[in-house]
Amino acid sequence: MRTTDSATDTHCPYCALQCGMRLRPEPGGAAVTVEERADFPVNRGALCGKGRTAPAVLSSRVRLTHPLVRTHAGLLEPATWEEALDAVAEGLARAGRTYGPDAVGVFGGGGLTNEKAYALGKFARVALRTSQIDYNGRFCMSSAAAAHQRAFGLDRGLPFPLADIPRTGCVVLVGSNLAETMPPALRYLTELKANGGTLIVIDPRRTRTAEQADLHLAPRPGTDLALALGLLHLIVAEGRTDEEFIAARTTGWEEARAAAMAHWPELVERITGIPVPRLREAVAMFCAPESAMVLTARGPEQQSKGTDTVGAWINLCLATGRAGRPLSGYGCLTGQGNGQGGREHGQKADQLPGYRKLTDPAARAHVAEVWGVDPDSLPGPGRSAYELLDALGTDVKALLLMGSNPVVSAPRAGHVEDRIRSLDFLAVADVVLSETAALADVVLPVTQWAEETGTTTNLEGRVLLRRRALTPPPGVRGDLDVLHGLAARLGVEKGFPTEPEEVFEELRRASAGGPADYSGITYARIEAEQGVFWPCPGSPGVPGDSPGTERLFLDRFATDDGRARFAPVSHRDAAEVPDADYPLLLTTGRVVAQYQSGAQTRRVDELNAAAPGSFVELHPRLAARIGAVDGSPLAVTSRRGRAVAPARITDTIRADTVFMPFHWPGEGRANTLTNPALDPTSRMPEFKVCAVRVEPA
């Protein structure tokens, strides 16, 4: 590992906080030290263990340092870059020639920089001419994005900065465990309470975050929609609606109100398991102050009705006038490092850069002009993430995968692994030899966060700049270099530059006039202003004529008529409910020391010492009933497979529910069990609830 000469301000490679940090070379240049950046407003110097130990993955001991190509003997062996790129180009081209362009798939990731996500989408549609591109962000916040679009006409995770949270009167946190998923953000809730505000946490587990709450509601997994409807019923019945706001700034109230009134408190208690007095207490706490917020995360979103569930929580904000006003509103706590930017610039199946719709003729014409192609040459929308993975080996014969590990992270992971193994050709670009990369025909070693420059967009919609602090090992190249080399081999000599800032300048033009308009943002502005909030329109040659938009919707919503839309939704069961064969509910999530599929964090000794493997969390009553002993192996079985992990007995979880973290492969792989039932709007799989049985292994 070689470093540059001085310390470099950059950002953490992990979650959507994108915490500021400083990398300083150690004497001799053999490593770097992470230092706090107290001046960065999001984390104000605080870092979690993952951020502090992030440089450990830069070590050649744990990361890929040369391309690998599978030999006729079936082994992955070192190869030159020219040999590897030739093999990838030929594998993709052969599938396209034999079966047609849509037999070639591309799968991206929510950790890719904006530049790489943009270039990957362009590569799929211009160099490969395929519609079959999506990314793992579909598994994270797609339901919230769909509900945001439906209600407000625009999706940005948080329509206000994190700094507003401590200043509001009440926060309802639905299905989020910030203390473990985004530890530096927990201070915003601590400050909220110190300022006299109240915190309601909704989670089937009494997590470290729920311990901070003034009120913790623990609904049965899969019933968040009924809970939101029941609270709105009480708000109406108790006369707590803001009729003036509803009349002036919304539409669809009558239908939404009628749907909510069908969910009376006693019915909601039977569905959710939450007593009526606790429902009334939540309504009183939410409605008492002048301002309030609802923040959702994967709990309510990763369901087969996630879009409607988020819509029901948005309804609470609209009915009480807690949207489009200072210190109030609905927000989604985006998960992946560039989960926000990654869904804005073209690696989703249905989108073009700038959050434009692929089916919009004007959007196609605008982007095609920037790309120098005929609009008619751009393919239409393709399959969503799980549907794309499910089609591997049948309709999709070859796959280029960047920045994702679906063998561990996808629902019904055993089936997805089988589909990946059935491909004619698989190429993976990654930092480490992940479980998915180990199945590839060609593995391309690519640069990491500290070895490359590029932008990310955090959960606030703040566009940030990561600066290259280190020189990558000699055998490693950037993803932009990979796409440039592949495009040239596929006959597209121009249009895929390797310099990130050059790509960003093109992204600015492509996004101009779109919902996610970055045209007024430049690298220089980001650096000078500690990030710039989009939308930020700009004029050609005048990049600084907009200040950016820190707070959305204060004057009007982004719909055609400027009004927010209520969602007329009703409760429905999860796609799979308990029965005699599978009498319990499984929910999944994260632990503080690991991240996503664990491909990188599982290679850090300090993090592995804190979280060495999977486990099954269950209530003492359930443990006594099945004869489970703390620390002994438990078998968890669903209709899709079986996982085995040690028991962790605790009274912080519902007695009808078990929990598993999803960071590990092998026999403890939680996603072997999860249900790929899809939300009809967002195409989000139902990770957060499925029926299982549990017994000593």
Side-chain angles (χ1 to χ4, degrees), residues 138-139 302-305 384-387 389-390 409-416 575-576 638-641 670-680 682-691:
R138 178 79 66 173
F139 297 158
Q302 286 182 326
Q303 298 184 29
S304 60
K305 52 183 183 295
S384 70
Y386 180 78
E387 291 165 306
L389 295 172
D390 189 43
S409 64
R412 197 185 174 196
H415 171 73
V416 168
E576 191 173 79
S638 77
R639 289 176 174 86
R640 289 153 295 282
N671 278 318
T672 297
L673 309 167
T674 49
N675 192 351
L678 301 180
D679 180 288
S682 67
R683 316 308 289 168
M684 166 74 83
E686 191 152 58
F687 287 98
K688 279 295 182 279
V689 52
C690 69

Side-chain angles (χ1 to χ4, degrees), residues 358-444:
L358 191 53
T359 54
D360 178 0
R364 294 169 65 88
H366 173 86
V367 173
E369 183 178 7
V370 173
W371 288 352
V373 300
D374 185 339
D376 292 338
S377 71
L378 298 178
R383 293 176 172 89
S384 70
Y386 180 78
E387 291 165 306
L388 174 56
L389 295 172
D390 189 43
L392 300 182
T394 53
D395 295 331
V396 177
K397 301 291 188 178
L399 182 70
L400 172 64
L401 187 146
M402 285 186 162
S404 187
N405 187 19
V407 165
V408 178
S409 64
R412 197 185 174 196
H415 171 73
V416 168
E417 181 177 346
D418 290 343
R419 293 290 87 224
I420 289 173
R421 290 179 181 275
S422 73
L423 282 164
D424 290 359
F425 180 80
L426 171 65
V428 175
D430 209 334
V431 172
V432 297
L433 190 67
S434 70
E435 288 72 21
T436 305
L439 303 180
D441 297 285
V442 180
V443 182
L444 304 174

Side-chain angles (χ1 to χ4, degrees), residues 576-578 582 584-586 637-640 689-693:
E576 191 173 79
V577 296
Y582 302 95
L584 299 169
L585 291 167
L586 168 72
T637 307
S638 77
R639 289 176 174 86
R640 289 153 295 282
V689 52
C690 69
V692 296
R693 66 172 179 267

Side-chain angles (χ1 to χ4, degrees), residues 282-299:
V283 166
M285 288 176 61
F286 180 66
C287 294
E290 291 186 6
S291 59
M293 297 175 179
V294 174
L295 306 177
T296 70
R298 307 300 81 78

Side-chain angles (χ1 to χ4, degrees), residues 534-609:
W534 72 261
C536 183
S539 304
V542 190
D545 60 351
S546 167
T549 312
E550 193 171 15
R551 295 173 181 84
L552 296 171
F553 314 138
L554 295 182
D555 298 317
R556 69 189 309 274
F557 295 100
T559 56
D560 291 341
D561 59 5
R563 291 172 174 263
R565 309 280 194 259
F566 277 98
V569 296
S570 296
H571 173 72
R572 59 186 185 274
D573 283 335
E576 191 173 79
V577 296
D579 58 21
D581 294 324
Y582 302 95
L584 299 169
L585 291 167
L586 168 72
T587 192
T588 64
R590 285 168 49 186
V591 296
V592 67
Q594 301 288 353
Y595 181 72
Q596 303 299 77
S597 75
Q600 295 186 37
T601 51
R602 284 187 275 111
R603 287 167 167 81
V604 179
D605 292 340
E606 180 180 329
L607 300 179
N608 277 334

